[in-house]
Amino acid sequence: YDFVFGNVWGPRRFQGRWFAGFRYFLYQGNLLAPAWLAAYTDGQGYTDGAFLNLLNFSQDSSGFGPTGLMEARFNFFDSVLQLFINGQAAFIIEKVETSSSGFITLVRSGSLDATVPALLEDSQTKSTWHTGAEAGIRVRLKNGLKFEAAYGVVGLLDAVLLPNQIRVPENAVEASEGSSAIYNTQDYVLQGWRASLAFQF
């Protein structure tokens, strides 16, 4: 959510647009992650969606910070056709949380395999950037209609928290120590086309 104020400046042929304000960022979702949850035999203990399910990490990220945008506009045919390109950045102080919910790991108990319950969760507070760029076309149609199409890329940096190394007990003796992990934040990048049709009274 962006709460901003801005304006348009410049002559008829070339114009600029700016806005500045604040962004409130919220991301909630789930990410499936494979893992190897048995440390004693190579090739066994992989999460396969059958005996060992994939880990389902719930993600909860939120943050707040300043944001700003600059846009260049090139007008043709008395501003009927407009080409534009812009860039936006936001500096966010965010809290990122993740939890795997409960799952099981395999450990060696004598000559047999035993299952041990486990849970992976972590929370981090950090500063990060959101960046974005977009280029496109606007066409002013008749009777107040406006058409716009653009291609854009948005990078929500450090928006997701996931483990990149997991330590599981190797045997029943270590089972009481539980499972642990080393976590790293991951970027969430969106790119694609958009089109819109607007009417101004």
Side-chain angles (χ1 to χ4, degrees), residues 46-59:
Y46 285 94
T47 51
D48 55 6
F51 178 65
L52 289 177
N53 293 327
L54 296 172
L55 304 186
N56 185 13
F57 284 91
S58 62
Q59 301 287 327

Side-chain angles (χ1 to χ4, degrees), residues 2-197:
D2 289 347
F3 305 91
V4 297
F5 172 81
N7 205 350
V8 177
W9 53 270
R12 176 177 296 183
R13 181 72 66 179
F14 171 80
Q15 292 178 324
R17 179 172 75 106
W18 67 271
F19 68 61
F22 294 94
R23 167 172 293 185
Y24 174 69
F25 167 67
L26 178 65
Y27 172 75
Q28 294 176 320
N30 292 277
L31 294 174
L32 292 176
W36 181 32
L37 301 179
Y40 52 86
T41 304
D42 291 343
Q44 296 183 8
Y46 285 94
T47 51
D48 55 6
F51 178 65
L52 289 177
N53 293 327
L54 296 172
L55 304 186
N56 185 13
F57 284 91
S58 62
Q59 301 287 327
D60 193 342
S61 305
S62 60
F64 184 78
T67 185
L69 174 141
M70 290 294 294
E71 178 177 281
R73 298 177 170 185
F74 305 90
N75 297 313
F76 303 92
F77 310 113
D78 197 23
S79 298
V80 173
L81 173 66
Q82 182 182 89
L83 303 179
F84 68 92
I85 184 170
N86 63 47
Q88 184 178 2
F91 181 71
I92 305 295
I93 304 297
E94 69 173 6
K95 182 177 182 181
V96 191
E97 299 177 290
T98 188
S99 175
S100 67
S101 68
F103 63 97
I104 61 171
T105 62
L106 293 177
V107 302
R108 179 69 70 184
S109 179
S111 60
L112 302 175
D113 296 339
T115 60
V116 174
L119 174 68
L120 296 176
E121 56 185 4
D122 192 35
S123 175
Q124 296 183 10
T125 299
K126 62 188 309 179
S127 60
T128 186
W129 288 92
H130 292 178
T131 58
E134 190 176 58
I137 183 174
R138 297 185 180 106
V139 181
R140 188 180 64 190
L141 305 174
K142 295 181 179 180
N143 302 322
L145 285 175
K146 290 184 179 181
F147 172 78
E148 181 173 321
Y151 178 81
V153 179
V154 176
L156 308 176
L157 308 184
D158 300 318
V160 174
L161 183 64
L162 286 173
N164 60 358
Q165 293 184 30
I166 299 176
R167 180 196 175 279
V168 299
E170 293 190 9
N171 50 59
V173 177
E174 298 180 2
S176 60
E177 300 177 8
S179 300
S180 60
I182 298 175
Y183 298 83
N184 276 340
T185 52
Q186 307 289 329
D187 300 338
Y188 186 31
V189 179
L190 304 170
Q191 56 182 330
W193 292 90
R194 68 171 181 85
S196 63
L197 187 66

